[in-house]
Amino acid sequence: MFVCLLPFQVLGQSKEELQALQQQIKQKQQQVAKQLAKAKALQGELKQSELKIASAAKALNSTEQELKANQEDQRNLKKRQSEIQSKLAKQQETLAKQIRSAFMTGNYDYAKMLLNQESAAKFERTITYYQYLNKARSELIDEFRMLGEELTEINLSLIVKQDGLQNLLDRQQAQQATLTQGLRSREQTLSKLQSAIESDAAKIEELQANEQNLRKAIAEAERLAALKPTTFDGLAKLKGQLLMPADGRVRKLFGTKRQGQVRWKGIIVDANAGSNVVAIHHGKVLYADWLRGFGLVTVIDHGNGYMSLYGHNQALLHQSGDTVSAGEPIALVGQSGGQSSPNLYFEIRYKGDPVNPTQWLKL
């Protein structure tokens, strides 16, 4: 009797174990789903923080460009000021010599010369000399006056530029404070986001969702590109010759495992925050917006199915529809998309599929 019941007891235990395992899987799935839902909500907060940072960084970058232009203008004005002052000093000396010369030769008595009927030729030469001297002196005085007026204008311009410089410095300080505050707020959100995605399963699902978002964005960009075909000739003839998109240390991650079965589709360039991200070749901006997992992204269409993608930016300098030249700044290096350090995420795609960027860039 005992022998006959044993298989049924084993079967009962196996059934119970299976049910327990299924319950554990269900709980795990619910836990992952809960983590992803919390992460999704925090991604919204992260997006708002990073967009505020982008706005502040872009404004700061613009102010810094104005500062450079102002300082360059002041250097040019001071150079011209020095030139004019030197010229005025020389002209003053020349004019003084002419006045002294006129005084020294000013003993001619024209009436006496006429009454004494002095040589007509000599008289004519004297008159011509005085006319020449007076004309030269008059021209010198006019030039002296014009230079004096220009110097006055330059001095006024320098005062205006110096006031403008102070205003720009004040604006820069305020923008820097806004940027710092935004970065602090972002760090708090990022910390919550990292805590929300605890398990490997949740991390993999998050990466897969991010990748799907990127595919959708690229597909939409391709659809728009097809509506308005460009005359750009693609990148096929430029393999190994394309410009580096940013200055920094290249992490050749393409094709390597990222998490689970998710693999890297591009490379990372570790660079200084706020430094320029440049277009690798001329093209048209198809996408310029924030994208979950990739932060602020720019996608450029180079024609014939070739596109380049630039992610993790601090700020975008061009909008969708803009045409850009090779080497033109299109963004500022940042750490948007939840990055812990400033870097550029870079991809090259051909007809939607990623290709190894290191084979195309001039490293």
Side-chain angles (χ1 to χ4, degrees):
M1 184 73 176
F2 177 74
V3 174
C4 292
L5 287 173
L6 185 61
F8 292 102
Q9 288 176 340
V10 170
L11 183 63
Q13 285 176 351
S14 297
K15 205 171 181 180
E16 285 174 7
E17 285 174 2
L18 180 61
Q19 286 175 343
L21 183 60
Q22 286 174 337
Q23 185 62 29
Q24 284 178 5
I25 291 169
K26 189 177 179 181
Q27 287 175 351
K28 194 70 176 174
Q29 286 174 334
Q30 287 173 343
Q31 187 183 358
V32 169
K34 192 176 178 181
Q35 287 178 4
L36 289 171
K38 190 176 179 182
K40 189 176 180 181
L42 287 167
Q43 284 282 4
E45 286 183 34
L46 184 67
K47 178 181 178 179
Q48 293 307 312
S49 292
E50 292 184 342
L51 287 175
K52 285 179 183 176
I53 289 168
S55 178
K58 192 173 180 180
L60 183 60
N61 180 258
S62 177
T63 300
E64 285 173 348
Q65 296 303 316
E66 287 183 59
L67 275 169
K68 287 178 184 175
N70 182 295
Q71 289 162 346
E72 181 63 24
D73 286 346
Q74 286 202 56
R75 277 193 293 272
N76 291 334
L77 284 168
K78 285 177 180 175
K79 184 182 177 183
R80 182 60 182 155
Q81 182 189 51
S82 177
E83 287 172 357
I84 290 174
Q85 285 172 339
S86 176
K87 217 171 197 181
L88 282 171
K90 287 178 182 176
Q91 286 195 352
Q92 197 170 14
E93 187 180 343
T94 303
L95 195 57
K97 285 179 181 177
Q98 285 188 1
I99 292 169
R100 278 197 301 273
S101 175
F103 178 78
M104 295 294 291
T105 59
N107 295 323
Y108 285 102
D109 186 337
Y110 299 115
K112 188 177 178 182
M113 285 166 62
L114 286 168
L115 289 171
N116 290 341
Q117 297 181 344
E118 289 199 15
S119 166
K122 183 179 179 184
F123 178 73
E124 190 177 345
R125 282 199 304 273
T126 304
I127 292 298
T128 302
Y129 170 73
Y130 270 96
Q131 285 174 343
Y132 167 78
L133 190 62
N134 286 335
K135 186 183 177 184
R137 193 184 309 137
S138 176
E139 287 174 354
L140 194 60
I141 289 169
D142 287 343
E143 191 180 352
F144 190 86
R145 185 174 61 251
M146 286 170 66
L147 285 171
E149 288 170 358
E150 188 182 350
L151 183 61
T152 301
E153 286 178 12
I154 285 173
N155 289 337
L156 288 171
S157 295
L158 277 168
I159 292 168
V160 170
K161 289 289 179 185
Q162 283 163 359
D163 289 343
L165 181 64
Q166 189 56 53
N167 291 334
L168 286 170
L169 288 169
D170 292 342
R171 194 204 303 172
Q172 183 191 41
Q173 191 174 5
Q175 288 167 343
Q176 189 65 58
T178 303
L179 181 60
T180 303
Q181 186 181 358
L183 288 168
R184 222 176 352 249
S185 172
R186 176 190 175 278
E187 283 303 312
Q188 291 169 358
T189 305
L190 190 57
S191 178
K192 290 178 191 174
L193 182 61
Q194 287 168 343
S195 299
I197 309 173
E198 295 169 351
S199 68
D200 287 343
K203 287 174 184 175
I204 290 166
E205 284 205 38
E206 177 75 4
L207 286 172
Q208 287 172 336
N210 293 343
E211 197 170 305
Q212 187 61 30
N213 286 338
L214 181 60
R215 280 202 204 99
K216 284 180 182 177
I218 289 172
E220 178 62 14
E222 286 177 327
R223 187 185 71 79
L224 293 172
L227 293 174
K228 294 181 180 179
T230 63
T231 56
F232 302 119
D233 51 4
L235 307 175
K237 297 177 183 178
L238 299 168
K239 200 167 187 179
Q241 301 173 49
L242 293 169
L243 296 173
M244 275 294 294
D247 291 329
R249 183 177 67 89
V250 177
R251 282 190 268 159
K252 300 176 182 179
L253 299 170
F254 183 84
T256 61
K257 191 177 285 189
R258 191 170 182 181
Q259 188 109 22
Q261 297 303 308
V262 180
R263 292 184 178 275
W264 286 95
K265 306 294 190 298
I267 60 171
I268 293 283
V269 182
D270 294 312
N272 295 326
S275 58
N276 283 334
V277 175
V278 303
I280 58 165
H281 194 54
H282 61 261
K284 184 178 181 181
V285 177
L286 287 184
Y287 185 90
D289 206 346
W290 192 91
L291 193 62
R292 178 177 168 178
F294 296 90
L296 286 158
V297 173
T298 291
V299 177
I300 298 176
D301 175 22
H302 300 289
N304 292 342
Y306 287 94
M307 291 184 181
S308 56
L309 181 146
Y310 313 74
H312 301 167
N313 298 297
Q314 187 182 65
L316 305 179
L317 304 180
H318 282 278
Q319 297 177 339
S320 179
D322 289 354
T323 299
V324 294
S325 304
E328 184 176 349
I330 55 168
L332 303 177
V333 172
Q335 52 193 88
S336 62
Q339 297 300 298
S340 57
S341 61
N343 66 72
L344 171 70
Y345 176 70
F346 178 73
E347 285 185 10
I348 294 177
R349 293 198 175 222
Y350 177 59
K351 294 185 177 178
D353 295 324
V355 296
N356 190 346
T358 57
Q359 295 176 358
W360 291 79
L361 298 173
K362 193 176 181 180
L363 297 175

